[in-house]
């Protein structure tokens, strides 16, 4: 009997372990060939950059714990680096892809291999050029890391424990449907930057959006633009004292901010003086419904605006933000911040029809929208009419809710689903203060001193191993491994700034539309600050500092290196809006491969 009991137990254990998913880390290898072309994704031809002859670039996918190897072949006429946005590069800071910080540029005709682990990370990320603004010209693509089997998932909350629905979501988790939004301009970004520097014109408007690389230019009536822009006009008047107006592209005349009335704004097509809108009829993206639920991978790959997303007639469950499952939020409109990523679930239980997926810009400077289609019909070659007739539209072309009671996604409410993901309590070992401001006509800074990190720093010896790191935009705060670090970021400017910290995730432990007003979090606690949230704050790698307001990021220094903090509005980053934070750099220098340092 005793022998039989042991044998039975052994069999049970064997069956249990056989039932577990097989999950072993592997090496995933990719080749990224960068070339230029002349194409018209929204109906207007211009030079653009491609990755493996496509835009956006190919999906890089892995399972949590895999190692990714991506070799970049630069056949462009410009230098390049590739940053894997949101990937922490733990233990491999030289693979962060930031020129002048973690590596030297990949010059035309050269190649470089990025190799890093995905250990401890899952969800949606993306890769993009970090040299100048070239990712807005086409050098960008998605990264998706499937969660490990033991990762806590919130699907039962969404489906109310409906086993069939939960199985659908688990199956779609393997490969969520892409929904990538990106702004698109009439000119290549080098030409835009030259205009910015020469004439002091902030290129505050875009030609339009693309969704999964597709889109068209539409020309709403002046009345439609004006109705959607009422709050923008009022805000601009409060700020500047000027009554402005929109042009036919929905672009606000912001010349009152320039102080240079002698410039021929019309010839330069400055914001508010765009050439008359010309509609195009290029294809829009169509997403076909295949089951009762759809999981979508939403990435804002733009370099200019955040967006508001809604899907006519459908609810949106927000499941994941910046690679972290959150307590699910059921909404009809969601904010998609610049550079951020969202995994959403959409109940798709209608019988037929075509519904608009709407992305509208959030910026004060422009009223603009792009749509894709969610179709229950069989695939067809012909595109549907431009705007379907429906009573279930939740937002206008400016992103304004048509009903103020419509539930919308509030980023501050996106607490991690795993309750163990909480910020350290008590005082931080290091507190660093930053001030976001426009310090000149086209100068933007994150430093209290107003110091700028300009494009020429991208050609310097990388801060990660440079002998002289004493630059005006380098933060040497004595950060050591294990320190708790607070970044207090006060935004003095009228524009919101999406801030991205390389090498780390952080908790957003305070935010409001006013300045922080304290020298430290400890002082804020003692002063009874009402904006602090140390209990269940969002856990992010990219987050927006509100206009005239503040955010406080808290993180644990666990990744020795040199890490960039930058604004994700590309023209602002190029105009100086970045700082390099050194973190126990001396510990990592001996480990940097000679092949990287000698590149």
């Amino acid at each position: 009997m005793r022998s039989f009991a042991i044998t039975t137990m052994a069999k049970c254990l064997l069956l249990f372990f056989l039932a577990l998913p097989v999950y072993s880390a592997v090496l995933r290898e990719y080749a990224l060939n960068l070339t230029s072309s002349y194409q018209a994704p929204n109906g207007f031809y211009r030079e653009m950059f491609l990755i493996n002859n496509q835009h956006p670039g190919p999906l890089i996918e892995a399972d949590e714990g895999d190692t990714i190897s991506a070799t970049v072949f630069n056949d462009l006429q410009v230098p390049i680096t590739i940053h894997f946005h949101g990937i922490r590069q733990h233990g491999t800071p030289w693979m962060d892809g930031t020129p002048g910080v973690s590596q030297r540029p990949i010059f035309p005709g050269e190649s470089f291999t990025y190799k890093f682990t995905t250990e401890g990370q899952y969800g949606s990320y993306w890769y993009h050029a970090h040299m100048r603004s070239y990712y807005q010209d086409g050098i960008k693509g998605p990264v998706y890391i499937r969660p490990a089997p033991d990762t806590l998932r919130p699907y039962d909350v969404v489906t109310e424990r409906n086993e069939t629905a939960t199985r659908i979501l688990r199956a779609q988790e393997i490969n969520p449907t892409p929904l990538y939004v990106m702004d698109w301009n009439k000119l290549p970004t080098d030409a835009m930057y030259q205009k910015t520097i020469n004439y002091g014109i902030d290129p505050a408007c875009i030609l339009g959006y693309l969704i999964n690389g597709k889109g068209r230019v539409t020309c709403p009536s002046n009345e439609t633009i004006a109705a959607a822009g009422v709050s923008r006009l009022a805000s601009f008047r409060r700020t500047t004292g000027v009554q402005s107006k929109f042009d036919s592209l929905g672009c606000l005349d912001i010349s009152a901010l320039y102080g240079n009335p002698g410039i021929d704004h019309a010839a330069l097509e400055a914001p508010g003086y765009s050439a008359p809108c010309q509609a195009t009829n290029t294809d829009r993206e169509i997403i076909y419904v295949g089951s009762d639920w759809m999981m979508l991978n939403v990435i804002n790959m733009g370099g200019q605006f955040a967006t508001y997303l809604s899907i006519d007639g459908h609810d949106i469950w927000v499941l994941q933000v910046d690679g972290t499952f959150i307590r699910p939020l059921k909404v009809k409109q969601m904010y998609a911040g610049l550079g951020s990523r969202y995994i959403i679930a959409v109940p798709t239980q209608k019988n037929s029809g075509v519904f608009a997926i709407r992305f509208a810009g959030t910026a004060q400077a422009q009223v603009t929208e792009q749509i894709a289609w969610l179709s229950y019909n069989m695939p067809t070659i012909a595109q549907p009419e431009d705007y379907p007739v429906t009573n279930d539209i939740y937002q206008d072309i400016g992103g304004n809710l048509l009903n103020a009671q419509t539930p919308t996604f509030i980023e501050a409410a996106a607490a991690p689903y795993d309750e163990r993901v909480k910020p350290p309590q008590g005082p931080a070992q290091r507190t660093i203060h930053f001030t976001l401001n426009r310090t000149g006509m086209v100068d933007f800074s994150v430093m209290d001193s107003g110091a700028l990190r300009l494009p020429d720093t991208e050609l310097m010896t990388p801060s990660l191993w440079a002998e002289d790191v004493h630059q005006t935009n380098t933060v040497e705060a004595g950060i050591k491994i294990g320190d708790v670090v607070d970044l207090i970021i006060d935004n003095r400017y009228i524009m919101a700034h999406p801030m991205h910290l390389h090498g780390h995730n952080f908790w957003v432990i305070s935010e409001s539309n006013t300045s922080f007003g304290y020298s430290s979090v400890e002082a804020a606690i003692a002063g009874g600050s009402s904006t602090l949230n140390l209990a269940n704050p969002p856990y992010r790698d990219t987050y927006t500092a509100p206009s005239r307001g503040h955010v406080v990021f808290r993180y644990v220094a666990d990744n020795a290196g040199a890490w960039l903090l930058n604004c994700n509005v590309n023209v602002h980053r190029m105009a100086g809006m970045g700082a390099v934070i050194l973190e126990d750099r001396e510990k990592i220098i001996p480990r940097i491969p000679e092949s990287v340092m000698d590149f």
Side-chain angles (χ1 to χ4, degrees), residues 166-180:
T166 298
R167 280 198 300 269
I168 291 173
L169 292 181
R170 284 297 295 257
Q172 294 200 10
E173 175 191 273
I174 296 172
N175 187 22
T177 300
L179 188 59
Y180 314 140

Side-chain angles (χ1 to χ4, degrees), residues 202-256:
D202 186 356
C205 295
I206 60 176
L207 183 58
Y209 286 112
L210 301 177
I211 300 175
N212 293 349
K214 298 178 181 179
R216 66 177 61 157
V217 177
T218 57
C219 301
S221 68
N222 292 337
E223 293 76 16
T224 300
I225 293 173
V230 168
S231 62
R232 289 167 165 86
L233 288 173
S235 176
F236 189 77
R237 186 172 186 177
R238 285 194 303 271
T239 303
T240 66
V242 174
Q243 181 63 50
S244 190
K245 61 184 183 300
F246 295 99
D247 64 20
S248 62
L249 275 178
C251 191
L252 185 67
D253 176 4
I254 60 173
S255 58

Side-chain angles (χ1 to χ4, degrees), residues 294-296 298 309 316-319 334 342-346:
M294 291 201 71
M295 184 177 288
L296 302 175
V298 180
L309 164 65
I316 294 173
W317 281 94
V318 186
L319 305 176
M334 61 168 282
Y342 308 81
I343 299 295
I344 64 174
V346 178

Side-chain angles (χ1 to χ4, degrees), residues 13-34:
L13 287 171
L14 177 61
L15 290 172
F16 172 77
F17 285 115
L18 286 175
L20 291 176
V22 178
Y23 212 84
S24 56
V26 300
L27 173 65
R28 309 266 183 170
E29 297 184 273
Y30 294 89
L32 305 177
N33 297 286
L34 314 185

Side-chain angles (χ1 to χ4, degrees), residues 72 332 474 568 573:
V72 176
K332 294 187 184 297
T474 299
N568 263 2
R573 181 177 59 81

Side-chain angles (χ1 to χ4, degrees), residues 10 18 173 257 312-314 395 507 541 556 582 584 589 596:
L18 286 175
E173 175 191 273
L257 299 178
D312 292 358
H314 290 76
Q395 65 183 41
W507 291 272
D541 58 64
V556 176
L582 303 185
D584 229 347
I589 290 177
V596 173

Side-chain angles (χ1 to χ4, degrees), residues 479-485 504 555-560 583:
I479 298 172
K480 300 297 181 184
I481 295 299
D483 284 350
V484 175
V485 182
H504 297 84
Y555 66 95
V556 176
D558 61 357
N559 200 5
E583 179 178 328

Side-chain angles (χ1 to χ4, degrees), residues 299-320:
I299 306 178
N300 187 339
M301 295 182 175
Q304 195 75 12
F305 298 153
T307 61
Y308 289 119
L309 164 65
S310 68
I311 304 175
D312 292 358
H314 290 76
D315 292 325
I316 294 173
W317 281 94
V318 186
L319 305 176
Q320 194 184 118

